[in-house]
């Protein structure tokens, strides 16, 4: 869980920084998107790097889901008779949302790829003009797309808040002082990352990016 | 105080079990929770009914025998308190209180509220000890221990093995117990020779017993009557990582 999670988090950071290039204008953003296909050239043929990264991420996602499934199945098997009176998790709201949150994030990622990578669900869907795709996607009349995006991102934030701390702990974070630091770092990281992602649709919505 | 109790009744390991409602009147707020159950049992015996079976021994919070899930909380609503030290003043007149046994595949119900916690003994047998000649106690100053290590080891050694961590864990994991036992020995010089075989043996025994996996939620530490901190699990994780990368456990390594 921790190792695959960290791989995915590294991608999330780069993806967020890349998204923020939308504020540098249409030419710059489209150039950046084009450059992503040319990383590694001429050593690698065009788009090879992109496909290597996609393969690594896909393996990480599958391994992450696999590990989560094993943990869920073990948890289910470990308590065959449920409590008649059970209180919900009360020390850690983020941890409560991990499993269903993960499913929501997966559905979002599938939608997101069909929307802004392949363009099938995008109103414009022009692979040569990702800037225009983003602007068309988060247009004010398509408010429900933005709403879904916001909900998925907030879920991701909760997932990261517990997940990032949990990764530190799984990899051997062991002192009480370190625990306070790891929890704060996870919270700050989750908030910054979610905010970094959400500024883009809100910038389109408010006309800042058009 | 007049209370309504809903108690898990199960005749034996094979019985399906059910919640049964009892009315207990004139409960003094100064009674302990187990004394309240004693009052109920005395009445049941007088009526010719089977009394409610529950585990208890010292009734002063140090033996780890009492194991009641009270209103969905291990050892009841008061933090840092075992069920035997919980007093009825924590409840109000007219309350309905649900009492269940610990629920875990590794802790099968023996009868009513009594569970078999043998799985913990198996974890201990897999490494929760030091191999050293016994005899008279050695001179305490002959092996110096850093103060902060001694304090952290003592904090973990406070574990009474009651099983509240397992009962409270949404995953049914016994990792807080295992981690407390690993930590208490791995922080002290006496625990070093077997440090890395211990952690692998105990975690394997934990998994074999049918406990769930830890996902660092923290319900265990909140339920623990002895306040074992969650970071002990980090100490276990670090020892486990070191042990698996060191190939400890191979004879001669």
């Amino acid at each position: 869980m921790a190792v695959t999670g960290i791989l995915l988090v590294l991608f999330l950071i780069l993806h967020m920084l890349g998204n923020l290039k939308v504020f540098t204008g249409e030419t710059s953003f489209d150039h950046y998107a084009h450059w992503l296909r040319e990383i590694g050239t001429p050593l690698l043929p065009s788009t090879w790097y992109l496909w290597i990264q996609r393969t690594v991420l896909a393996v990480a996602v599958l391994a992450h889901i696999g590990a989560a499934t094993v943990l869920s199945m073990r948890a289910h098997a470990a308590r065959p008779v449920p409590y008649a009176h059970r209180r919900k998790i009360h020390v850690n709201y983020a941890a409560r949302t991990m499993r269903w949150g993960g499913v929501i994030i997966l559905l979002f990622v599938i939608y997101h790829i069909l929307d802004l990578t392949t363009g099938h669900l995008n109103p414009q869907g022009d692979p040569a003009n990702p800037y225009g795709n983003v602007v068309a996607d988060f247009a004010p009349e398509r408010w429900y797309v933005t709403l879904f995006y916001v909900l998925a991102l907030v879920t991701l934030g909760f997932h990261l808040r517990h997940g990032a701390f949990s990764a530190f702990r799984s990899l051997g974070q062991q002192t009480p002082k370190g625990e306070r630091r790891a929890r704060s770092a996870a919270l700050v990281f989750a908030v910054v990352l979610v905010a970094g992602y959400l500024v883009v649709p809100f910038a389109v919505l408010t006309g800042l990016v058009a | 105080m007049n209370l309504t109790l809903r108690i898990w009744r199960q005749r034996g390991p094979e019985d399906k079990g059910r919640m049964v409602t009892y009315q207990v009147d004139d409960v003094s707020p100064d009674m302990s929770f187990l004394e309240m159950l004693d009052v109920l049992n005395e009445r049941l015996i007088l009526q010719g009914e089977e009394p409610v079976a529950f585990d208890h021994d010292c009734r002063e919070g140090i033996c780890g025998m009492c194991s009641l899930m009270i209103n969905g909380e291990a050892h009841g609503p008061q933090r840092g308190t075992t069920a035997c030290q919980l007093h009825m003043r924590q409840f109000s007149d007219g309350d309905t209180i649900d009492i269940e046994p610990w629920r875990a595949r590794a802790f099968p119900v023996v009868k009513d509220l009594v569970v078999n916690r043998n799985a913990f003994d198996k974890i201990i047998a897999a490494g929760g000890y030091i191999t050293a000649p016994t005899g008279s106690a050695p001179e305490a100053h002959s092996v110096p221990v850093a103060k902060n290590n001694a304090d952290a080891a003592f904090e973990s050694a406070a574990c009474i093995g009651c099983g509240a961590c397992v009962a409270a864990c949404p995953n049914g994991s016994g990792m807080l117990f295992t981690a407390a036992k690993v930590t208490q020995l791995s922080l002290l010089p006496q625990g070093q020779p077997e440090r890395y075989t211990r952690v692998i043996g105990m975690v394997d025994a934990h998994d074999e017993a049918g406990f769930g996996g830890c996902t660092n939620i923290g319900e265990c530490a909140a339920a623990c009557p002895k306040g074992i901190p969650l970071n002990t699990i980090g100490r276990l994780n670090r020892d486990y990582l070191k042990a698996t990368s060191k190939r400890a456990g191979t004879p001669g390594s």
Side-chain angles (χ1 to χ4, degrees):
Chain A
M1 293 258 75
V3 175
T4 52
I6 287 170
L7 270 177
L8 297 171
V9 160
L10 292 177
F11 168 72
L12 284 176
I13 295 169
L14 294 177
H15 185 17
M16 185 201 81
L17 294 176
N19 283 0
L20 293 179
K21 286 195 80 73
V22 82
F23 292 104
T24 61
E26 183 162 2
T27 328
S28 165
F29 186 72
D30 285 358
H31 176 258
Y32 162 75
H34 181 69
W35 170 77
L36 288 176
R37 273 143 193 83
E38 302 300 326
I39 301 174
T41 52
L43 181 65
L44 295 170
S46 178
T47 73
W48 268 49
Y49 169 78
L50 197 65
W51 279 106
I52 293 169
Q53 182 181 310
R54 283 174 178 167
T55 312
V56 171
L57 288 174
V59 170
V61 167
L62 290 177
H64 200 68
I65 294 172
T69 310
V70 169
L71 279 168
S72 303
M73 283 166 63
R74 278 187 63 186
H76 195 70
R79 181 162 295 138
V81 183
Y83 287 108
H85 184 140
R86 184 68 178 134
R87 261 182 47 166
K88 290 200 181 91
I89 296 172
H90 60 292
V91 295
N92 192 337
Y93 181 78
R96 205 196 288 180
T97 66
M98 287 311 267
R99 283 177 188 145
W100 280 111
V103 173
I104 293 172
I105 293 165
L106 176 68
L107 292 175
F108 168 73
V109 166
I110 293 170
Y111 165 77
H112 191 56
I113 288 172
L114 290 174
D115 178 14
L116 286 164
T117 307
T118 68
H120 285 98
L121 296 177
N122 192 278
Q124 180 176 303
D126 176 8
N129 183 13
Y131 186 91
N133 293 347
V134 170
V135 172
D137 202 25
F138 297 119
E141 61 272 18
R142 280 166 55 86
W143 56 271
Y144 47 91
V145 172
T146 310
L147 181 68
F148 178 48
Y149 190 91
V150 170
L151 289 177
L153 261 296
V154 170
T155 311
L156 178 71
F158 279 114
H159 202 80
L160 287 176
R161 193 200 153 184
H162 180 67
F165 159 69
S166 192
F168 284 122
R169 176 50 49 82
S170 294
L171 295 175
Q173 184 287 313
Q174 61 174 3
T175 59
K177 196 174 170 188
E179 177 173 327
R180 284 194 294 277
R181 283 186 191 153
R183 282 189 194 277
S184 321
L187 177 63
V188 170
F189 171 69
V191 169
V192 168
L193 198 87
V194 171
Y197 276 113
L198 287 183
V199 288
V200 176
F202 280 105
V204 175
L205 201 63
T206 54
L208 201 64
V209 168
Chain B
M1 295 163 74
N2 298 327
L3 299 166
T4 308
L5 305 178
R6 300 204 309 145
I7 303 180
W8 181 259
R9 300 303 308 262
Q10 183 174 342
R11 280 187 211 99
E14 305 305 324
D15 186 21
K16 206 163 161 280
R18 72 221 68 87
M19 298 295 276
V20 177
T21 307
Y22 296 96
Q23 195 67 38
V24 186
D25 298 333
D26 296 329
V27 173
S28 154
D30 297 330
M31 278 181 185
S32 78
F33 200 83
L34 300 191
E35 281 172 330
M36 184 273 295
L37 286 179
D38 290 338
V39 168
L40 169 69
N41 275 345
E42 281 171 11
R43 199 192 78 204
L44 290 178
I45 292 167
L46 283 176
Q47 292 172 349
E49 289 177 47
E50 184 77 11
V52 179
F54 62 91
D55 257 335
H56 63 102
D57 190 9
C58 72
R59 297 207 179 195
E60 53 186 20
I62 54 169
C63 76
M65 278 308 282
C66 51
S67 47
L68 301 177
M69 202 70 174
I70 301 164
N71 281 341
E73 287 183 281
H75 293 300
Q78 196 178 12
R79 279 210 172 190
T81 310
T82 53
C84 63
Q85 295 272 289
L86 179 70
H87 286 81
M88 296 315 293
R89 64 183 79 97
Q90 301 291 332
F91 300 90
S92 325
D93 186 33
D95 276 1
T96 300
I97 306 173
D98 291 334
I99 311 170
E100 295 175 80
W102 291 165
R103 293 284 185 209
R105 182 156 69 103
F107 290 164
V109 172
V110 178
K111 187 179 180 183
D112 295 340
L113 303 170
V114 179
V115 297
N116 179 352
R117 280 169 297 176
N118 228 310
F120 272 4
D121 297 337
K122 286 186 185 145
I123 295 176
I124 294 293
Y129 51 81
I130 56 162
T131 309
T134 52
S136 58
E139 159 59 36
H141 289 298
S142 60
V143 185
V145 180
K147 171 73 173 146
N148 51 356
N149 283 352
D151 286 348
F154 191 82
E155 202 176 28
S156 294
C159 171
I160 53 176
C162 64
C165 45
V166 177
C169 178
N171 297 312
S173 174
M175 211 40 91
L176 192 69
F177 168 80
T178 312
K181 300 302 175 185
V182 165
T183 298
Q184 143 197 353
L185 297 171
S186 69
L187 282 170
L188 298 176
Q190 293 85 348
Q192 297 312 310
E194 290 152 303
R195 181 168 181 178
Y196 297 108
T197 49
R198 170 183 305 120
V199 64
I200 291 192
M202 290 179 76
V203 170
D204 284 353
H206 167 276
D207 292 351
E208 267 168 38
F211 292 108
C214 173
T215 59
N216 303 317
I217 296 172
E219 290 290 293
C220 52
C224 178
K226 295 294 143 186
I228 308 287
L230 191 61
N231 68 287
T232 53
I233 294 179
R235 295 188 193 276
L236 176 137
N237 288 340
R238 185 174 286 203
D239 273 13
Y240 192 85
L241 284 175
K242 271 194 198 155
T244 42
S245 57
K246 263 188 160 186
R247 294 188 42 189
T250 314
S253 66

